[in-house]
Structures are given as structure tokens and as C-alpha cells.
Amino acid sequence: MNRVIIVGGGAAGMMAAVAAADNGKQVCLIEKNEKLGKKLFITGKGRCNVTNAADVETLLANVCTNAKFLYSAFYGYDNRAVMDFLEQAGCPLKTERGERVFPVSDHSSDVIAAFRRELEKRSVDIRLNTEVRKVCEEDGQITGVILQDGKKLPADSVVVCTGGISYPSTGSTGDGYRFAEELGHSVTRTRPALVPFHVREEWCGSLMGLSLKNVSLRLVCGKRQVYEGFGEMLFTHFGISGPLVLSASSFYIPETESLALIDLKPAMDEEQLDKRLLRDFEENKNRQFKNALGGLFPVKLIPVMIALSGIHPDKKVNEISREERKKFVSLIKNLPLTVTGTRGFAEAIITRGGVSVKEINPSTMESKSVKGLYFAGEVLDLDALTGGFNLQIAWSTGHLAGSSL
């Protein structure tokens, strides 16, 4: 029998099915949802950031956890290979700011349709609305799967591509972790990643909806700076979000005293900013402090900055002391927010943690302890920053698993 069962019809599962079929296998792809690629459908706000066009070293540099494990996968089937595959499958692509690659149509459904056509062309047996209850093995060798209705499907190999536990509404409910543990594998602690932060400061809520562009953010957990980045962020009713914050969340260490320090003027150092303030104050010397900040911040942010500065709003700017001004400069460069935690899995783009990669062969994606058992995609303890890097992990590991069967 040359039969392989792939559990999960997301990005990694569809790619594994294509590669396995090209490898001459009889492929059965099992998906518990009513359609393939349900999570893929909502990625990139429905536009689907399929990969990133940077070189492979840059791809690896954007992987937060276990990047070394991905060398074989990324070099064996890189972003160019993914782009060629999709374009040849009738889904033209375009590259945008930050080397992010999207379908020309801006519709994730076109990516899924391209895969569907390729799977049908290869006679892959696609079973929708079908749930796997258990992955079976005898004497350290995979024998097949048992479905929710009790029916057993025999197979030589099983590829587990069930995703993590982020966006559980798309069917990512951690089944793969259970299969892995039942078969003797360890699963590292899972937590939400690429997710907004909760913050303690109540003034944050008054800025809800305000987006800040071209700011930088440093995340300090305990006494250690774990992240620094530049970009765009957003204030919400519970804290902060936006691309910059999502990236920072991948480095957040739970249960530590954590601070997000926002630099509102990263293009200037403290000395340059002080000179700029002096100039502004000179031009507005008879005005009150509260009326002299229009050129520095968005209107909504001004009352907050005044309150945090400790300078009386009605004070004339020509009466502000050098010490007060220096303190204000420091506040602009290090606006502090106390991070109390992240939002939950329902809002997390991906899951951090998963099946331990120490127990997986990086050059095949096969389990080191169970013959014929493979893992690919987000179910593994692998995660990366935003920009198409997480999907590249899914494509590369899925392709490697399917090709190695």
C-alpha cells in the first residue's frame, strides 16, 4: 500500500498533499471544516500574504523560534518555489512594501482555488467535514487513523498538519497536540503570538482608534530588552495593537514585569528633539503650554502628553524650566506603557509553542520515534514575525514532509 493520509487541509496540509502526490503516493486529505484553507481565507485581512520575497537568510532571520530547524525546509522549497507554484497554478502574484507577496486580486480565495485545482489535477481524495479522532501505530509504525464515526482508514504514513490553537473558530483546536502526545511526543508550552497587548494605564482607552505611524517600540521584560522595532501601532480600548505591537508580542515573556516604551520621534535623538522643542517654544513664547504642542503630536494625544509631563497646561512656554523641558523630551522618547498580558488565542494570528522540534527530523519532518509519522506547519514549535514568514514555514515544511514520504 502506498497510501498517505494528511490530517488538516490548511496551508501546510494542502502543500503536503501536492508534494506527496507528485511523489507518487495515493493521497487522502482529511479536513474537519466544510472547506479547505479556512484560516488561509482570513489571513492578511482576507488578502493572504502568501510569502515574503526576501532572500532565504532574511526569511530565517524573521523566524522567532527554532530557526535552525528550518534550514533544510527553507532551502529545499523556498519562497521563489512557492511563488512559481502559485503563478503556474493560475494565481498571479504581486510584491508590496516590506517584500510582502499577495495575489494580484487581493483575494485569499484565489490562493485556495489554485490549490484546489492542483489537488484535483493530482487525483487527491479530499474529504471535507471529516474529523480524525486518533492516529494509530503498532510497534512504532503508523497504521492509519480512526475517524470520529469510528471508521478506520489504513495508511503507511500520516502527516499531521492541524495548525495551532489560534483562531479556534477556523477549526484550530489543538487536535495535533493531542495526537502527538498520544504517540509519545512532547508539546512545548503554547501561548498566543502576533497578538495585541493589554496595558495597565487607563489613559490608553482615551486614545482608542488613534494610529501612530513611524514610531519605535522597545519591549522590556524583567530587566531585559527583548525587542525593538519601528513601524505603526494602534491604541485600543484594552491597550495597544498594530503591526509593531504584534511583532513585539512574539518576544513577550509572560509573568514578568513588562514595559513597552514608545519613541514618538525616533528620527531625532534627545539633543535634536530638545532643539526642536526650544524652536517651537520660541515661536509660541507667549502661549500656554497646552496650546504650543500642535506641531508635535496628533490632537488626541496632546492632553495625555500634557498630563504625563507634570507641566501645568496653562503655564506659559517661556516660563518652562530647562529641567521640565528635558523631562518632557525624555517622555516623548520613552512613553511608558505597563504590559499586563496579551489578548487570547481568539485574536492571535499564530500559536507560539507546539510539537517539540527536537523529536522531529529536520531533513524529512518525520518523527524520530514513530515511523511514518510526519508533522508540518503551525502544529510544530515554530513561529515567525508578520510579513508572510509564517506561511512560508507552512509551505516549506508541508512540501518537505510530502516529498520525504
Short mmCIF file of all heavy atoms in Angstrom, two decimals, residues 31-54:
data_model
loop_
_atom_site.label_atom_id
_atom_site.label_comp_id
_atom_site.label_asym_id
_atom_site.label_seq_id
_atom_site.Cartn_x
_atom_site.Cartn_y
_atom_site.Cartn_z
N GLU A 31 -10.11 17.00 6.14
CA GLU A 31 -10.33 18.33 6.72
C GLU A 31 -11.66 18.34 7.47
O GLU A 31 -12.68 17.96 6.92
CB GLU A 31 -10.33 19.37 5.58
CG GLU A 31 -10.80 20.76 5.97
CD GLU A 31 -10.05 21.35 7.17
OE1 GLU A 31 -8.81 21.45 7.10
OE2 GLU A 31 -10.72 21.70 8.16
N LYS A 32 -11.64 18.78 8.73
CA LYS A 32 -12.88 18.73 9.51
C LYS A 32 -13.87 19.85 9.17
O LYS A 32 -15.05 19.75 9.47
CB LYS A 32 -12.59 18.67 11.00
CG LYS A 32 -12.01 19.91 11.64
CD LYS A 32 -11.89 19.66 13.14
CE LYS A 32 -11.19 20.78 13.84
NZ LYS A 32 -11.00 20.52 15.27
N ASN A 33 -13.38 20.92 8.55
CA ASN A 33 -14.28 22.01 8.13
C ASN A 33 -15.01 21.64 6.84
O ASN A 33 -14.70 20.65 6.19
CB ASN A 33 -13.49 23.30 7.92
CG ASN A 33 -13.10 23.94 9.24
OD1 ASN A 33 -13.93 24.11 10.12
ND2 ASN A 33 -11.82 24.26 9.39
N GLU A 34 -15.92 22.56 6.46
CA GLU A 34 -16.70 22.33 5.23
C GLU A 34 -15.94 22.74 3.97
O GLU A 34 -16.39 22.51 2.86
CB GLU A 34 -18.04 23.07 5.33
CG GLU A 34 -17.98 24.59 5.19
CD GLU A 34 -17.34 25.34 6.37
OE1 GLU A 34 -17.05 24.73 7.43
OE2 GLU A 34 -17.11 26.55 6.22
N LYS A 35 -14.75 23.37 4.17
CA LYS A 35 -13.95 23.76 3.01
C LYS A 35 -12.48 23.77 3.37
O LYS A 35 -12.13 23.82 4.56
CB LYS A 35 -14.38 25.14 2.49
CG LYS A 35 -14.22 26.26 3.49
CD LYS A 35 -14.75 27.59 2.94
CE LYS A 35 -14.61 28.68 3.99
NZ LYS A 35 -15.30 29.91 3.61
N LEU A 36 -11.63 23.73 2.37
CA LEU A 36 -10.18 23.79 2.59
C LEU A 36 -9.74 25.22 2.91
O LEU A 36 -10.41 26.18 2.51
CB LEU A 36 -9.44 23.32 1.33
CG LEU A 36 -9.61 21.85 0.92
CD1 LEU A 36 -8.95 21.62 -0.44
CD2 LEU A 36 -9.01 20.90 1.95
N GLY A 37 -8.62 25.34 3.59
CA GLY A 37 -7.98 26.66 3.78
C GLY A 37 -8.80 27.69 4.53
O GLY A 37 -8.77 28.87 4.21
N LYS A 38 -9.53 27.25 5.55
CA LYS A 38 -10.42 28.19 6.26
C LYS A 38 -9.63 29.32 6.95
O LYS A 38 -10.05 30.47 6.93
CB LYS A 38 -11.27 27.43 7.27
CG LYS A 38 -12.53 28.20 7.64
CD LYS A 38 -13.58 27.32 8.28
CE LYS A 38 -14.80 28.16 8.61
NZ LYS A 38 -15.86 27.38 9.25
N LYS A 39 -8.49 28.98 7.55
CA LYS A 39 -7.70 30.03 8.20
C LYS A 39 -6.96 30.87 7.15
O LYS A 39 -6.80 32.07 7.30
CB LYS A 39 -6.71 29.41 9.20
CG LYS A 39 -5.99 30.47 10.02
CD LYS A 39 -5.13 29.89 11.11
CE LYS A 39 -4.28 30.96 11.76
NZ LYS A 39 -3.29 30.44 12.68
N LEU A 40 -6.53 30.19 6.09
CA LEU A 40 -5.85 30.89 4.99
C LEU A 40 -6.77 31.98 4.42
O LEU A 40 -6.32 33.06 4.02
CB LEU A 40 -5.53 29.86 3.90
CG LEU A 40 -4.41 30.14 2.91
CD1 LEU A 40 -3.10 30.42 3.63
CD2 LEU A 40 -4.24 28.98 1.95
N PHE A 41 -8.07 31.69 4.42
CA PHE A 41 -9.06 32.60 3.87
C PHE A 41 -9.07 33.95 4.57
O PHE A 41 -9.31 34.99 3.96
CB PHE A 41 -10.45 31.94 3.96
CG PHE A 41 -11.55 32.74 3.31
CD1 PHE A 41 -11.60 32.86 1.93
CD2 PHE A 41 -12.52 33.37 4.06
CE1 PHE A 41 -12.60 33.60 1.31
CE2 PHE A 41 -13.53 34.11 3.45
CZ PHE A 41 -13.57 34.22 2.08
N ILE A 42 -8.77 33.95 5.90
CA ILE A 42 -8.84 35.21 6.65
C ILE A 42 -7.48 35.86 6.87
O ILE A 42 -7.38 36.95 7.42
CB ILE A 42 -9.55 35.04 8.02
CG1 ILE A 42 -8.82 33.99 8.89
CG2 ILE A 42 -11.00 34.68 7.85
CD1 ILE A 42 -9.27 33.95 10.33
N THR A 43 -6.38 35.19 6.44
CA THR A 43 -5.05 35.78 6.69
C THR A 43 -4.86 37.06 5.89
O THR A 43 -5.41 37.22 4.80
CB THR A 43 -3.89 34.82 6.36
OG1 THR A 43 -3.99 34.46 5.00
CG2 THR A 43 -3.92 33.58 7.22
N GLY A 44 -4.07 37.96 6.47
CA GLY A 44 -3.80 39.24 5.79
C GLY A 44 -5.08 40.01 5.52
O GLY A 44 -5.25 40.61 4.47
N LYS A 45 -6.01 39.96 6.50
CA LYS A 45 -7.33 40.63 6.37
C LYS A 45 -8.04 40.18 5.10
O LYS A 45 -8.71 40.95 4.42
CB LYS A 45 -7.18 42.15 6.38
CG LYS A 45 -6.59 42.70 7.69
CD LYS A 45 -6.70 44.21 7.76
CE LYS A 45 -6.26 44.75 9.09
NZ LYS A 45 -4.83 44.70 9.34
N GLY A 46 -7.87 38.90 4.77
CA GLY A 46 -8.56 38.35 3.60
C GLY A 46 -7.80 38.50 2.31
O GLY A 46 -8.26 38.07 1.26
N ARG A 47 -6.60 39.13 2.39
CA ARG A 47 -5.81 39.32 1.16
C ARG A 47 -4.78 38.21 1.00
O ARG A 47 -4.31 37.98 -0.11
CB ARG A 47 -5.09 40.67 1.20
CG ARG A 47 -6.02 41.88 1.15
CD ARG A 47 -5.22 43.17 1.30
NE ARG A 47 -4.31 43.34 0.18
CZ ARG A 47 -3.09 43.85 0.28
NH1 ARG A 47 -2.62 44.24 1.45
NH2 ARG A 47 -2.32 43.98 -0.78
N CYS A 48 -4.39 37.57 2.09
CA CYS A 48 -3.46 36.44 2.09
C CYS A 48 -2.04 36.82 1.66
O CYS A 48 -1.69 36.79 0.49
CB CYS A 48 -3.97 35.29 1.22
SG CYS A 48 -3.04 33.79 1.51
N ASN A 49 -1.23 37.15 2.67
CA ASN A 49 0.18 37.48 2.45
C ASN A 49 0.93 36.14 2.31
O ASN A 49 1.42 35.60 3.28
CB ASN A 49 0.66 38.29 3.65
CG ASN A 49 2.10 38.72 3.60
OD1 ASN A 49 2.62 39.27 4.55
ND2 ASN A 49 2.80 38.46 2.48
N VAL A 50 0.99 35.60 1.06
CA VAL A 50 1.42 34.21 0.85
C VAL A 50 2.87 33.92 1.24
O VAL A 50 3.19 32.83 1.69
CB VAL A 50 1.18 33.73 -0.60
CG1 VAL A 50 -0.29 33.55 -0.87
CG2 VAL A 50 1.81 34.65 -1.63
N THR A 51 3.75 34.89 1.05
CA THR A 51 5.14 34.71 1.46
C THR A 51 5.83 36.07 1.49
O THR A 51 5.16 37.10 1.37
CB THR A 51 5.90 33.73 0.54
OG1 THR A 51 7.21 33.50 1.08
CG2 THR A 51 6.03 34.25 -0.88
N ASN A 52 7.14 36.04 1.64
CA ASN A 52 7.93 37.26 1.60
C ASN A 52 9.03 37.06 0.57
O ASN A 52 9.64 35.99 0.51
CB ASN A 52 8.54 37.54 2.98
CG ASN A 52 9.13 38.92 3.08
OD1 ASN A 52 10.19 39.21 2.51
ND2 ASN A 52 8.45 39.82 3.78
N ALA A 53 9.27 38.07 -0.26
CA ALA A 53 10.18 37.92 -1.40
C ALA A 53 11.66 38.12 -1.05
O ALA A 53 12.52 38.13 -1.92
CB ALA A 53 9.78 38.88 -2.52
N ALA A 54 11.97 38.26 0.25
CA ALA A 54 13.37 38.48 0.65
C ALA A 54 14.20 37.21 0.41
O ALA A 54 13.65 36.15 0.12
CB ALA A 54 13.42 38.84 2.13
#
